[in-house]
């Protein structure tokens, strides 16, 4: 009997150990990892299963939801000792950044290195989420050599930053793949249709949004990120399937705030990765293409926040489950995910071995920022202009999200770099101004986001080279080499509008005002606008001022103005009470210089041929900021669309078949002649030059008699740099009397990402609304051959066509939706019908 009982106990222990063993992703999912794409809900289930099975090693948290309501997940993985004090570790690490607690060497050595691994920010770069599951399993499985690393590290795993884009790709691929995958690159399973899975719900590239936070996924992630502040952050991607694998160290240019330690650690990481790749005979490259400059990437944003930020790129976009590459090899999903698992684990290995150095250097990064600052400037001053409150509020909301410290100014004078003139000037500082001193916890991030001109160690960059926030927000600003005294907490005075019995004036000066006007129009309120400036009650009102009058609004009854006042208070919009339609100077309200503001019916072309990211910028602006309805039409069926149903048609960047020649444009032209309005953005404007409308594309002057120097074959790519601009900022002079320029002070800061520019109209061919200045760019790189072409050219204009018009913007005024300074231009084209 005793023998039987002992056997039963042993049998129970055996089955208990089997049940306690963690299932691999393949075992849990019921198919071999890499044999098919895993949809997000199954990824979520596996992560939940691991967290439930290994609570001593794993904590799982849902940190947000996507636009399509999919969960965003983060897993903390470490040793039982670290997991039991996880909140203590997090708080201690945050204390390092703020200097709130003095840590000795022994206390620093007790803090584990925090390694954050981010997977699948681009939805159709599908191997990385598969790799996230296997990486998690390898860290936790019985007998794993990786388990020892968890003593010195806390590993944070975000398995999918972009679930909406991933599922868009996975669901499409599953619908077109056969019983076996077809490796022929011409097969339809390698021809992803518009808009593709790269972007999120609103077609935004989330890997360009880390600093700007225009998207809900980014906003929630950064809140979590800043609650941890990891020492190492890796963003795992894919590139074209004919490429091998890229890992650190990064290419030049590096921003000057990047420390020698951050550079050195990248070298050490790369050396360790190379060891594993060499052992397996896998190809890779380093120090090419992917630089560390533009601040809104998943590698640079962490770098500017004290981390070792890195991008890893596996060849594989459009590869599906398998594709034959140009080498004649079949690259499978399994190949791709194994490469990502290898670099993920190698990163943790090196970080565990360098735990003390990582923590020490991380602490030193912030200590140096607080005590010394970074770069040549000590303070940045944003002037508190009375008509720019909405832009100031948008800016401080962004600063708050990034933990950047700012306060009011004090009444003094100072000397500094004027962003508007690019000159050193004396200026006054007041309590209405925002003063940001560089010596603070986030010194590096402040320097990168606010410096007027970014130093370029190499002009061959992967993205734009200028983004300074005062230009992006259209704010008057100065940068000083002396520290400016600060006052108290900066905040806008709360809006409290007063009552009226005659009407309100709504100064037209921001997209926030446009959104309020849009709300009134949609509610059925009749609005008017003044074409010219006017004075009343001792106050000047600029062109474009909206008038909310009793005239035509009688149906609202006596409560009308009270309703308007409450709505304005809700949206923090200042409206000015009026007592009469008789003004002291300018046109009275019954003049023909005061026009009705219509409620436009708007269509946006989308689909094949359009650039999905640009379409997304317009769509997102309508829905999330303007709160105004827009109908998205497919270009494929546009020829049969009834344009009479719309007043405004928006063309985002792309290639449009009906703009190829005059004959194909005829239908749209008739619609415009009948009163329709066409808004054309960015490089699409170049197609207008083909239509014989009087718009002439400016081209590079090749008339010089000088013989061009011969170019060496090895320098062929670099030679092309002289003909491009990789995101430069130009001051544009505006015709402030034209409706397209309403709300602007006579100039605009434009972000040029290509060489599209037009000759100025002559005589009555069209309106020259905005032209670049002859002085050249305020910031950013412009090639030596292109720069003369871009001086003094037309970037904003309007063509009158019958009873309608074409408003065109040679630069993308909604670029990534962080270029706040351009959004009012778009609103002007949308709402004001200039005739």
């Amino acid at each position: 009997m005793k023998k039987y009982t002992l056997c039963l106990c042993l049998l129970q222990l055996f089955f208990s150990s089997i049940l306690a063993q963690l299932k691999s992703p393949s075992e849990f999912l019921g198919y071999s990892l890499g044999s098919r794409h895993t949809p997000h809900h199954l990824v979520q289930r596996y992560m939940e299963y691991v967290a439930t099975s290994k609570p001593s090693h794993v904590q799982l948290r849902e940190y947000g939801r996507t636009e399509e309501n999919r969960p965003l997940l983060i897993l903390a993985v470490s040793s039982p000792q670290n997991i039991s004090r996880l909140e203590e570790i997090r708080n201690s690490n945050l204390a390092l950044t703020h200097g709130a607690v003095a840590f000795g060497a022994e206390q620093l050595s007790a803090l584990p290195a925090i390694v954050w691994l981010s997977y699948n920010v681009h939805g159709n770069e599908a191997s990385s989420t598969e790799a996230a599951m296997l990486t998690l399993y390898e860290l936790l499985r019985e007998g794993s050599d990786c388990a020892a690393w968890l003593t010195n590290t806390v590993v944070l795993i975000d398995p999918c930053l972009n679930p909406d884009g991933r599922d868009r790709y996975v669901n499409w691929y599953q619908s077109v793949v056969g019983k076996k995958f077809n490796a022929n690159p011409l097969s339809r399973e390698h021809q992803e249709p518009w808009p593709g899975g790269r972007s999120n719900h609103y077609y935004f590239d989330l890997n360009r949004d880390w600093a700007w936070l225009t998207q809900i996924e980014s906003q929630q992630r950064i809140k979590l990120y800043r609650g941890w502040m990891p020492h190492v952050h890796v963003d795992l991607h894919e590139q074209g399937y004919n490429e091998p694998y890229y890992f650190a160290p990064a290419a030049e240019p590096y921003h000057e705030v990047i420390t020698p330690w951050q550079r050195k650690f990248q070298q050490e990481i790369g050396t360790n990765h190379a060891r594993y790749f060499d052992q397996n005979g896998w190809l890779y490259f380093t120090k090419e293409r992917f630089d560390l400059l533009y601040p809104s990437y998943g590698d640079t944003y962490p770098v500017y926040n004290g981390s070792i930020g890195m991008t890893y790129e596996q060849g594989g976009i459009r590869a599906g489950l398998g594709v034959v590459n140009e080498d004649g090899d079949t690259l499978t999903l399994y190949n791709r995910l194994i490469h990502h698992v290898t670099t993920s684990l190698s990163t943790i290995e090196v970080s565990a071995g360098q735990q003390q150095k990582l923590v020490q250097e991380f602490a030193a990064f912030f200590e140096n920022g607080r005590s010394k600052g970074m770069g040549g400037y000590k303070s940045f001053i944003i002037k508190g202009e009375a008509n720019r409150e909405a832009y100031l509020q948008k800016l401080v909301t962004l600063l708050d999200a990034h933990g950047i410290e700012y306060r009011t100014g004090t009444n003094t004078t100072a000397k500094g770099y004027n962003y508007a003139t690019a000159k050193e000037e004396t200026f006054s500082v007041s309590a209405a101004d925002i003063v940001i001193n560089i010596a603070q916890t986030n010194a590096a991030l402040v320097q990168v986001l606010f410096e007027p001109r970014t130093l370029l160690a190499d002009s061959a960059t992967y993205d734009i080279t200028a983004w300074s926030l005062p230009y992006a927000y259209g704010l008057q600003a100065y940068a000083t080499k002396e520290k400016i005294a600060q006052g108290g907490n900066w905040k806008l005075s709360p809006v409290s509008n007063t009552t009226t019995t005659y009407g309100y004036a709504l100064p037209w000066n921001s997209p926030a005002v446009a959104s309020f006007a849009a709300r009134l129009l949609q509610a059925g309120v009749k609005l008017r606008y003044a074409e010219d400036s006017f004075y009343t009650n001792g106050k000047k009102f600029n062109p474009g001022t909206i008038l909310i009058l009793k005239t035509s609004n009688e149906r609202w009854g006596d409560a009308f103005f009270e309703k308007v006042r409450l709505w304005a208070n809700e949206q923090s919009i200042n409206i000015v009470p009026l007592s009469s339609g008789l003004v002291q100077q300018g046109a009275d309200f019954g003049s023909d210089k005061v026009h009705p503001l219509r409620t436009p019916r708007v269509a946006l072309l989308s689909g094949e041929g359009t650039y999905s990211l640009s379409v997304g910028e317009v769509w997102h602006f309508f829905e999330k900021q303007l709160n105004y309805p827009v109908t998205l039409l497919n270009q494929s069926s546009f020829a049969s669309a009834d344009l009479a149903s719309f007043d405004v048609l928006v063309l985002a960047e792309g290639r449009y078949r009906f703009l190829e020649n005059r004959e194909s444009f005829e239908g749209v032209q008739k619609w415009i002649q009948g009163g329709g309005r066409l808004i054309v953005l960015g490089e699409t404007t170049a197609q207008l030059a083909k239509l014989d409308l009087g718009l002439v594309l400016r081209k590079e002057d090749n008339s010089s008699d000088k013989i061009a120097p011969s170019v060496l074959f090895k320098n062929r790519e670099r030679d092309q740099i002289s003909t491009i601009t990789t995101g430069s900022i130009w001051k544009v002079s505006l015709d402030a009397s034209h409706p397209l320029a309403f709300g602007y002070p006579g100039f605009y800061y434009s972000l040029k990402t290509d060489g599209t520019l037009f000759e100025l109209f002559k005589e009555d061919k069209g309106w020259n609304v905005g032209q670049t200045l002859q002085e050249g760019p305020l910031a950013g790189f412009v090639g030596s051959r292109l720069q003369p072409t871009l001086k003094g050219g037309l970037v904003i204009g309007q063509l009158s066509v019958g009873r309608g018009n074409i408003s065109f913007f040679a630069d993308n005024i909604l670029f990534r939706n962080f270029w706040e300074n351009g959004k009012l231009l778009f609103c002007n084209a949308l709402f004001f019908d200039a005739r």
Side-chain angles (χ1 to χ4, degrees):
M1 184 69 175
K2 289 182 180 178
K3 191 178 209 180
Y4 173 79
T5 303
L6 179 61
C7 290
L8 183 62
C9 290
L10 290 172
L11 196 62
Q12 288 174 334
L13 285 171
F14 172 74
F15 281 111
S16 295
S17 66
I18 292 293
L19 291 172
Q21 287 181 6
L22 188 67
K23 291 182 181 179
S24 70
S26 297
E27 292 169 329
F28 179 85
L29 296 168
Y31 54 85
S32 297
L33 203 64
S35 65
R36 62 187 301 172
H37 294 102
T38 307
H40 185 67
H41 72 279
L42 292 183
V43 175
Q44 178 186 1
R45 286 183 196 171
Y46 183 69
M47 297 302 177
E48 290 170 344
Y49 157 72
V50 172
T52 302
S53 301
K54 291 283 188 177
S56 62
H57 289 78
V58 180
Q59 280 192 13
L60 171 65
R61 175 187 168 192
E62 179 182 309
Y63 68 86
R65 290 267 165 167
T66 69
E67 288 288 355
E68 297 175 17
N69 203 36
R70 292 183 175 87
L72 296 164
L73 307 173
I74 194 78
L75 295 95
V77 186
S78 194
S79 66
Q81 295 80 3
N82 289 336
I83 291 294
S84 67
R85 63 185 189 103
L86 193 62
E87 191 63 9
E88 175 193 333
I89 291 170
R90 188 183 70 84
N91 286 323
S92 295
N93 189 61
L94 291 179
L96 287 182
T97 69
H98 297 292
V101 179
F103 285 84
E106 185 175 339
Q107 291 171 298
L108 287 177
S109 65
L111 284 175
I114 300 172
V115 180
W116 187 312
L117 304 176
S118 290
Y119 298 89
N120 223 157
V121 68
H122 293 147
N124 60 359
E125 298 175 11
S127 68
S128 64
T129 287
E130 313 290 341
M133 291 188 285
L134 188 54
T135 298
L136 177 64
Y137 174 71
E138 287 297 323
L139 287 173
L140 298 172
R141 68 175 173 82
E142 292 295 324
S144 171
D145 295 334
C146 308
W149 303 336
L150 298 180
T151 302
N152 287 346
T153 61
V154 171
V155 180
L156 300 171
I157 295 177
D158 188 332
C160 187
L161 279 68
N162 182 11
D164 292 350
R166 177 180 174 81
D167 271 4
R168 186 187 311 133
Y169 172 75
V170 169
N171 291 335
W172 166 78
Y173 186 85
Q174 293 291 86
S175 74
V176 297
V177 70
K179 186 167 64 174
K180 294 181 179 180
F181 69 80
N182 189 329
N184 187 330
L186 298 178
S187 173
R188 67 172 182 167
E189 65 200 68
H190 305 298
Q191 312 297 321
E192 191 180 1
W194 195 97
R198 178 184 179 89
S199 54
N200 73 346
H201 173 80
Y202 280 107
Y203 310 153
F204 269 71
D205 186 333
L206 293 176
N207 195 40
R208 307 296 191 276
D209 195 46
W210 280 73
W212 316 135
L213 306 183
T214 69
Q215 301 302 293
I216 190 172
E217 295 90 347
S218 305
Q219 294 160 12
Q220 294 170 112
R221 181 183 351 104
I222 290 300
K223 184 178 180 180
L224 178 70
Y225 184 96
R226 300 203 68 84
W228 273 100
M229 297 295 279
H231 309 136
V232 177
H233 180 271
V234 179
D235 197 18
L236 291 100
H237 286 260
E238 288 190 323
Q239 53 190 328
Y241 59 73
N242 287 317
E243 302 289 344
Y245 198 100
Y246 162 83
F247 50 73
E252 290 285 354
Y254 283 54
H255 195 282
E256 61 181 325
V257 302
I258 297 174
T259 67
W261 161 249
Q262 288 174 315
R263 291 172 178 256
K264 182 175 182 291
F265 193 83
Q266 289 212 359
Q267 294 280 355
E268 295 184 15
I269 284 279
T271 299
N272 204 57
H273 293 351
R275 178 167 62 88
Y276 287 114
F277 273 58
D278 290 344
Q279 287 173 3
N280 287 281
W282 299 334
L283 292 177
Y284 56 90
F285 66 96
T286 66
K287 301 186 290 293
E288 294 181 64
R289 194 176 304 156
F290 304 104
D291 58 69
L292 291 175
L293 188 71
Y294 173 70
S296 207
Y297 281 130
D299 53 6
T300 49
Y301 181 84
V303 164
Y304 301 144
N305 283 279
S307 182
I308 310 297
M310 294 171 289
T311 289
Y312 299 163
E313 297 268 355
Q314 164 64 51
I317 295 176
R318 299 191 307 277
L321 295 178
V323 70
V324 176
N325 62 23
E326 62 186 8
D327 295 331
D329 298 324
T330 300
L331 176 67
T332 66
L333 177 59
Y334 182 78
N335 299 146
R336 291 147 54 199
L337 76 89
I338 286 298
H339 297 163
H340 269 333
V341 171
T342 302
T343 54
S344 296
L345 296 176
S346 173
T347 300
I348 300 167
E349 178 186 22
V350 176
S351 300
Q354 292 269 26
Q355 166 255 334
Q356 290 192 30
K357 185 68 171 173
L358 276 169
V359 175
Q360 290 167 1
E361 290 289 343
F362 180 79
F365 180 92
F366 291 100
E367 173 57 31
N368 288 336
R370 287 191 302 272
S371 61
K372 302 175 185 177
M374 294 188 181
Y377 294 112
K378 297 294 180 64
S379 296
F380 299 101
I381 299 88
I382 314 298
K383 298 298 293 178
E385 301 170 90
N387 62 341
R388 307 296 284 175
E389 294 97 342
Y391 294 96
L392 292 167
Q393 187 57 58
K394 289 280 286 186
L395 177 64
V396 299
T397 299
L398 185 69
L399 300 185
D400 290 341
H402 291 306
I404 291 174
E405 302 160 29
Y406 59 92
R407 297 178 79 82
T408 66
T410 57
N411 295 323
T412 186
T413 58
K415 186 176 182 180
Y417 182 95
N418 185 340
Y419 283 70
T421 64
K423 296 177 181 177
E424 288 285 324
E425 296 176 8
T426 300
F427 65 99
S428 62
V429 182
S430 77
D433 299 339
I434 298 171
V435 176
I436 306 164
N437 285 335
I438 195 77
Q440 62 168 283
T441 294
N442 293 297
L445 189 60
V446 169
Q447 171 70 13
V448 171
L449 295 182
F450 281 90
E451 61 188 349
R453 301 177 74 102
T454 298
L455 179 66
L456 283 178
D458 191 326
S459 53
T461 59
Y462 194 67
D463 211 289
I464 62 174
T465 56
W467 51 79
S468 184
L469 290 181
Y471 293 130
Y473 284 72
L475 295 168
Q476 185 180 356
Y478 296 86
T480 66
K481 295 182 180 178
E482 298 296 327
K483 184 177 179 179
I484 301 299
Q486 293 177 309
N489 294 329
W490 187 95
K491 60 180 180 180
L492 287 172
S493 300
V495 171
S496 181
N497 293 299
T498 57
T499 58
T500 184
T501 57
Y502 178 81
Y504 286 111
L506 173 63
W508 184 266
N509 54 30
S510 72
V513 167
S515 178
F516 179 65
R519 178 180 183 177
L520 296 178
L521 289 172
Q522 291 176 85
V525 175
K526 304 297 184 182
L527 303 177
R528 301 170 72 80
Y529 73 91
E531 178 183 321
D532 297 326
S533 60
F534 64 91
Y535 287 81
T536 186
N537 295 332
K539 183 178 176 62
K540 180 184 179 182
F541 293 87
N542 292 321
T545 296
I546 304 297
L547 300 174
I548 310 167
L549 306 176
K550 187 178 292 185
T551 303
S552 302
N553 288 305
E554 291 86 353
R555 71 179 184 86
W556 288 86
D558 295 338
F560 172 57
F561 289 125
E562 180 62 14
K563 187 73 171 177
V564 171
R565 188 183 72 85
L566 291 175
W567 283 350
N569 287 344
E570 277 178 21
Q571 293 185 224
S572 296
I573 299 295
N574 282 303
I575 50 178
V576 182
L578 300 169
S579 58
S580 171
L582 181 67
V583 302
Q584 282 76 55
Q585 187 175 330
D588 296 327
F589 296 164
S591 166
D592 61 4
K593 297 292 185 183
V594 177
H595 310 278
L597 190 72
R598 309 295 183 187
T599 307
R601 300 164 299 169
V602 188
L604 167 65
L605 268 188
S606 63
E608 296 294 344
T610 65
Y611 300 164
S612 62
L613 299 181
S614 183
V615 170
E617 290 161 357
V618 180
W619 182 27
H620 184 268
F621 179 66
F622 270 100
E623 293 216 335
K624 292 294 187 175
Q625 193 162 352
L626 197 57
N627 295 307
Y628 194 81
V630 60
T631 300
L632 274 71
L633 303 176
N634 278 325
Q635 187 172 193
S636 60
S637 57
F638 177 64
S640 60
D642 179 15
L643 286 183
S645 304
F646 303 100
D647 306 299
V648 176
L649 176 63
V650 182
L651 303 185
E653 293 190 292
R655 303 297 300 174
Y656 295 88
R657 290 186 293 274
F658 67 90
L659 296 181
E660 289 301 317
N661 53 63
R662 291 197 66 180
E663 290 73 23
S664 55
F665 184 62
E666 186 175 333
V668 175
Q669 186 167 358
K670 286 181 178 178
W671 169 77
I672 299 172
Q673 289 170 334
R677 288 181 283 138
L678 186 67
I679 301 175
V680 187
L681 302 178
E683 66 178 68
T684 301
T685 58
Q687 289 186 266
L688 294 176
K690 301 177 181 179
L691 304 178
D692 196 24
L693 297 170
L695 192 60
V696 178
L697 194 65
R698 180 177 286 190
K699 298 181 180 179
E700 182 184 337
D701 184 7
N702 295 315
S703 61
S704 174
D705 294 331
K706 294 180 181 179
I707 299 175
S710 59
V711 178
L712 295 176
F713 181 77
K714 67 177 182 179
N715 295 333
R716 63 196 183 281
E717 292 183 3
R718 185 164 292 276
D719 181 65
Q720 292 301 310
I721 294 173
S722 66
T723 66
I724 65 171
T725 177
T726 48
S728 55
I729 297 170
W730 292 71
K731 192 173 184 179
V732 173
S733 173
L734 293 176
D735 171 4
S737 70
H738 194 281
L740 283 185
F742 283 173
Y744 285 85
F747 63 86
Y748 162 70
Y749 299 122
S750 193
L751 180 67
K752 288 206 70 64
T753 57
D754 62 26
T756 304
L757 198 76
F758 299 94
E759 299 292 352
L760 296 175
F761 289 122
K762 296 179 180 179
E763 299 174 353
D764 59 350
K765 296 292 185 182
W767 296 107
N768 297 314
V769 180
Q771 63 185 89
T772 54
L773 300 184
Q774 292 288 346
E775 289 82 352
L778 289 165
F781 174 78
V782 183
S784 58
R785 287 163 55 188
L786 178 63
Q787 187 161 154
T789 307
L790 297 183
K791 294 181 179 180
L794 183 64
V795 290
I796 302 171
Q798 193 173 78
L799 286 159
S800 296
V801 182
R803 293 192 296 112
N805 57 57
I806 302 173
S807 299
F808 59 90
F809 304 91
D811 302 327
N812 184 355
I813 53 177
L814 299 179
F815 184 76
R816 295 178 185 166
N817 269 19
F818 92 93
W819 202 255
E820 293 292 332
N821 191 26
K823 292 177 180 177
L824 190 60
L825 288 170
F826 185 84
C827 295
N828 290 344
L830 179 66
F831 288 112
F832 295 120
D833 185 5
R835 295 183 185 178

